[in-house]
PDB file of all heavy atoms in Angstrom:
ATOM      1  N   LEU A  24      35.607  24.170  26.085  1.00 91.00           N
ATOM      2  CA  LEU A  24      34.473  24.776  26.804  1.00 91.00           C
ATOM      3  C   LEU A  24      34.916  26.030  27.527  1.00 91.00           C
ATOM      4  O   LEU A  24      34.233  27.065  27.468  1.00 91.00           O
ATOM      5  CB  LEU A  24      33.887  23.776  27.802  1.00 91.00           C
ATOM      6  CG  LEU A  24      33.174  22.557  27.214  1.00 91.00           C
ATOM      7  CD1 LEU A  24      32.804  21.579  28.330  1.00 91.00           C
ATOM      8  CD2 LEU A  24      31.913  23.002  26.472  1.00 91.00           C
ATOM      9  N   LEU A  42      30.663  39.312  19.448  1.00 92.00           N
ATOM     10  CA  LEU A  42      31.738  38.330  19.622  1.00 92.00           C
ATOM     11  C   LEU A  42      31.536  37.510  20.901  1.00 92.00           C
ATOM     12  O   LEU A  42      31.781  36.312  20.938  1.00 92.00           O
ATOM     13  CB  LEU A  42      33.091  39.031  19.667  1.00 92.00           C
ATOM     14  CG  LEU A  42      33.598  39.634  18.347  1.00 92.00           C
ATOM     15  CD1 LEU A  42      34.894  40.389  18.565  1.00 92.00           C
ATOM     16  CD2 LEU A  42      33.776  38.539  17.304  1.00 92.00           C
ATOM     17  N   PHE A  46      31.304  33.440  21.266  1.00 92.00           N
ATOM     18  CA  PHE A  46      32.153  32.660  22.192  1.00 92.00           C
ATOM     19  C   PHE A  46      31.288  31.755  23.072  1.00 92.00           C
ATOM     20  O   PHE A  46      31.568  30.563  23.245  1.00 92.00           O
ATOM     21  CB  PHE A  46      33.009  33.573  23.047  1.00 92.00           C
ATOM     22  CG  PHE A  46      34.349  33.895  22.436  1.00 92.00           C
ATOM     23  CD1 PHE A  46      34.601  35.147  21.914  1.00 92.00           C
ATOM     24  CD2 PHE A  46      35.351  32.949  22.440  1.00 92.00           C
ATOM     25  CE1 PHE A  46      35.838  35.446  21.351  1.00 92.00           C
ATOM     26  CE2 PHE A  46      36.604  33.221  21.886  1.00 92.00           C
ATOM     27  CZ  PHE A  46      36.844  34.493  21.340  1.00 92.00           C
ATOM     28  N   LYS A  67      23.709  30.950  30.799  1.00 96.00           N
ATOM     29  CA  LYS A  67      23.203  32.049  31.619  1.00 96.00           C
ATOM     30  C   LYS A  67      23.707  33.397  31.133  1.00 96.00           C
ATOM     31  O   LYS A  67      22.947  34.355  30.994  1.00 96.00           O
ATOM     32  CB  LYS A  67      23.597  31.822  33.077  1.00 96.00           C
ATOM     33  CG  LYS A  67      22.934  30.629  33.755  1.00 96.00           C
ATOM     34  CD  LYS A  67      23.473  30.416  35.164  1.00 96.00           C
ATOM     35  CE  LYS A  67      22.832  29.198  35.850  1.00 96.00           C
ATOM     36  NZ  LYS A  67      23.356  28.985  37.189  1.00 96.00           N
ATOM     37  N   LYS A  68      25.000  33.436  30.849  1.00 96.00           N
ATOM     38  CA  LYS A  68      25.583  34.685  30.386  1.00 96.00           C
ATOM     39  C   LYS A  68      25.146  35.004  28.949  1.00 96.00           C
ATOM     40  O   LYS A  68      24.984  36.173  28.568  1.00 96.00           O
ATOM     41  CB  LYS A  68      27.111  34.636  30.461  1.00 96.00           C
ATOM     42  CG  LYS A  68      27.601  34.747  31.907  1.00 96.00           C
ATOM     43  CD  LYS A  68      29.104  34.749  32.002  1.00 96.00           C
ATOM     44  CE  LYS A  68      29.585  35.197  33.409  1.00 96.00           C
ATOM     45  NZ  LYS A  68      28.995  34.439  34.503  1.00 96.00           N
ATOM     46  N   SER A  89      20.602  18.289  21.768  1.00 89.00           N
ATOM     47  CA  SER A  89      19.287  18.420  22.395  1.00 89.00           C
ATOM     48  C   SER A  89      19.388  18.229  23.913  1.00 89.00           C
ATOM     49  O   SER A  89      18.636  18.854  24.662  1.00 89.00           O
ATOM     50  CB  SER A  89      18.326  17.414  21.795  1.00 89.00           C
ATOM     51  OG  SER A  89      18.778  16.067  22.004  1.00 89.00           O
ATOM     52  N   LEU A 100      15.973  28.389  34.774  1.00 95.00           N
ATOM     53  CA  LEU A 100      14.606  28.912  34.741  1.00 95.00           C
ATOM     54  C   LEU A 100      14.508  30.405  35.080  1.00 95.00           C
ATOM     55  O   LEU A 100      13.751  31.127  34.436  1.00 95.00           O
ATOM     56  CB  LEU A 100      13.706  28.086  35.666  1.00 95.00           C
ATOM     57  CG  LEU A 100      13.391  26.666  35.203  1.00 95.00           C
ATOM     58  CD1 LEU A 100      12.530  25.940  36.250  1.00 95.00           C
ATOM     59  CD2 LEU A 100      12.684  26.695  33.861  1.00 95.00           C
ATOM     60  N   PHE A 105      13.278  35.644  32.956  1.00 96.00           N
ATOM     61  CA  PHE A 105      13.709  37.055  32.776  1.00 96.00           C
ATOM     62  C   PHE A 105      13.697  37.402  31.297  1.00 96.00           C
ATOM     63  O   PHE A 105      13.259  38.488  30.902  1.00 96.00           O
ATOM     64  CB  PHE A 105      15.115  37.211  33.353  1.00 96.00           C
ATOM     65  CG  PHE A 105      15.589  38.642  33.413  1.00 96.00           C
ATOM     66  CD1 PHE A 105      14.774  39.651  33.905  1.00 96.00           C
ATOM     67  CD2 PHE A 105      16.884  38.984  32.983  1.00 96.00           C
ATOM     68  CE1 PHE A 105      15.216  40.982  33.959  1.00 96.00           C
ATOM     69  CE2 PHE A 105      17.323  40.280  33.039  1.00 96.00           C
ATOM     70  CZ  PHE A 105      16.511  41.276  33.530  1.00 96.00           C
ATOM     71  N   ALA A 106      14.146  36.461  30.448  1.00 95.00           N
ATOM     72  CA  ALA A 106      14.133  36.698  28.997  1.00 95.00           C
ATOM     73  C   ALA A 106      12.706  36.823  28.487  1.00 95.00           C
ATOM     74  O   ALA A 106      12.399  37.683  27.629  1.00 95.00           O
ATOM     75  CB  ALA A 106      14.875  35.572  28.281  1.00 95.00           C
ATOM     76  N   ILE A 117       9.361  43.744  33.432  1.00 93.00           N
ATOM     77  CA  ILE A 117      10.774  43.356  33.463  1.00 93.00           C
ATOM     78  C   ILE A 117      11.374  43.643  34.847  1.00 93.00           C
ATOM     79  O   ILE A 117      12.139  42.829  35.363  1.00 93.00           O
ATOM     80  CB  ILE A 117      11.537  44.091  32.347  1.00 93.00           C
ATOM     81  CG1 ILE A 117      11.023  43.651  30.973  1.00 93.00           C
ATOM     82  CG2 ILE A 117      13.052  43.845  32.464  1.00 93.00           C
ATOM     83  CD1 ILE A 117      11.569  44.469  29.803  1.00 93.00           C
ATOM     84  N   PHE A 121      12.995  40.960  37.397  1.00 95.00           N
ATOM     85  CA  PHE A 121      14.388  41.129  37.858  1.00 95.00           C
ATOM     86  C   PHE A 121      14.424  41.055  39.385  1.00 95.00           C
ATOM     87  O   PHE A 121      15.277  40.352  39.954  1.00 95.00           O
ATOM     88  CB  PHE A 121      14.920  42.466  37.404  1.00 95.00           C
ATOM     89  CG  PHE A 121      16.244  42.825  38.003  1.00 95.00           C
ATOM     90  CD1 PHE A 121      17.430  42.309  37.478  1.00 95.00           C
ATOM     91  CD2 PHE A 121      16.341  43.675  39.097  1.00 95.00           C
ATOM     92  CE1 PHE A 121      18.664  42.621  38.039  1.00 95.00           C
ATOM     93  CE2 PHE A 121      17.561  44.012  39.655  1.00 95.00           C
ATOM     94  CZ  PHE A 121      18.721  43.476  39.131  1.00 95.00           C
ATOM     95  N   GLN A 127      19.008  35.015  42.997  1.00 95.00           N
ATOM     96  CA  GLN A 127      19.656  33.980  42.180  1.00 95.00           C
ATOM     97  C   GLN A 127      20.751  34.604  41.297  1.00 95.00           C
ATOM     98  O   GLN A 127      21.833  34.017  41.155  1.00 95.00           O
ATOM     99  CB  GLN A 127      18.604  33.316  41.280  1.00 95.00           C
ATOM    100  CG  GLN A 127      19.152  32.132  40.496  1.00 95.00           C
ATOM    101  CD  GLN A 127      19.631  30.993  41.397  1.00 95.00           C
ATOM    102  OE1 GLN A 127      18.902  30.508  42.219  1.00 95.00           O
ATOM    103  NE2 GLN A 127      20.876  30.598  41.226  1.00 95.00           N
ATOM    104  N   GLY A 162      10.283  60.935  27.671  1.00 55.00           N
ATOM    105  CA  GLY A 162       9.769  60.035  28.707  1.00 55.00           C
ATOM    106  C   GLY A 162      10.619  59.996  29.952  1.00 55.00           C
ATOM    107  O   GLY A 162      11.212  60.985  30.340  1.00 55.00           O
ATOM    108  N   ASP A 175      27.462  56.220  21.154  1.00 57.00           N
ATOM    109  CA  ASP A 175      28.050  54.952  20.780  1.00 57.00           C
ATOM    110  C   ASP A 175      27.488  54.398  19.483  1.00 57.00           C
ATOM    111  O   ASP A 175      27.988  53.408  18.950  1.00 57.00           O
ATOM    112  CB  ASP A 175      27.841  53.912  21.885  1.00 57.00           C
ATOM    113  CG  ASP A 175      28.658  54.214  23.149  1.00 57.00           C
ATOM    114  OD1 ASP A 175      29.611  54.991  23.023  1.00 57.00           O
ATOM    115  OD2 ASP A 175      28.324  53.699  24.210  1.00 57.00           O
ATOM    116  N   LYS A 181      18.816  62.325  18.310  1.00 59.00           N
ATOM    117  CA  LYS A 181      19.356  63.426  19.073  1.00 59.00           C
ATOM    118  C   LYS A 181      18.290  63.919  20.010  1.00 59.00           C
ATOM    119  O   LYS A 181      17.081  63.785  19.766  1.00 59.00           O
ATOM    120  CB  LYS A 181      19.826  64.566  18.144  1.00 59.00           C
ATOM    121  CG  LYS A 181      18.729  65.179  17.287  1.00 59.00           C
ATOM    122  CD  LYS A 181      19.338  66.274  16.407  1.00 59.00           C
ATOM    123  CE  LYS A 181      18.251  66.918  15.528  1.00 59.00           C
ATOM    124  NZ  LYS A 181      18.808  67.998  14.665  1.00 59.00           N
ATOM    125  N   ALA A 189       8.371  73.122  31.608  1.00 54.00           N
ATOM    126  CA  ALA A 189       7.561  71.903  31.868  1.00 54.00           C
ATOM    127  C   ALA A 189       7.262  71.127  30.599  1.00 54.00           C
ATOM    128  O   ALA A 189       6.397  70.241  30.586  1.00 54.00           O
ATOM    129  CB  ALA A 189       6.260  72.254  32.587  1.00 54.00           C
ATOM    130  N   ALA A 192      11.529  66.858  26.953  1.00 60.00           N
ATOM    131  CA  ALA A 192      12.484  66.823  25.825  1.00 60.00           C
ATOM    132  C   ALA A 192      11.986  65.863  24.765  1.00 60.00           C
ATOM    133  O   ALA A 192      11.197  64.937  25.034  1.00 60.00           O
ATOM    134  CB  ALA A 192      13.845  66.399  26.346  1.00 60.00           C
ATOM    135  N   VAL A 232      49.720  20.943  12.399  1.00 66.00           N
ATOM    136  CA  VAL A 232      48.971  19.775  12.815  1.00 66.00           C
ATOM    137  C   VAL A 232      48.986  18.690  11.744  1.00 66.00           C
ATOM    138  O   VAL A 232      49.250  17.504  11.989  1.00 66.00           O
ATOM    139  CB  VAL A 232      47.507  20.156  13.185  1.00 66.00           C
ATOM    140  CG1 VAL A 232      46.677  18.893  13.396  1.00 66.00           C
ATOM    141  CG2 VAL A 232      47.477  21.022  14.426  1.00 66.00           C
ATOM    142  N   GLY A 234      51.038  18.240   9.406  1.00 70.00           N
ATOM    143  CA  GLY A 234      52.396  17.727   9.170  1.00 70.00           C
ATOM    144  C   GLY A 234      52.943  16.881  10.290  1.00 70.00           C
ATOM    145  O   GLY A 234      54.030  16.325  10.192  1.00 70.00           O
TER     146      GLY A 234
END
Side-chain angles (χ1 to χ4, degrees):
L24 291 172
L42 289 175
F46 270 106
K67 292 176 181 179
K68 286 182 167 54
S89 60
L100 289 178
F105 189 46
I117 295 172
F121 172 82
Q127 185 64 55
D175 290 342
K181 62 180 180 180
V232 171

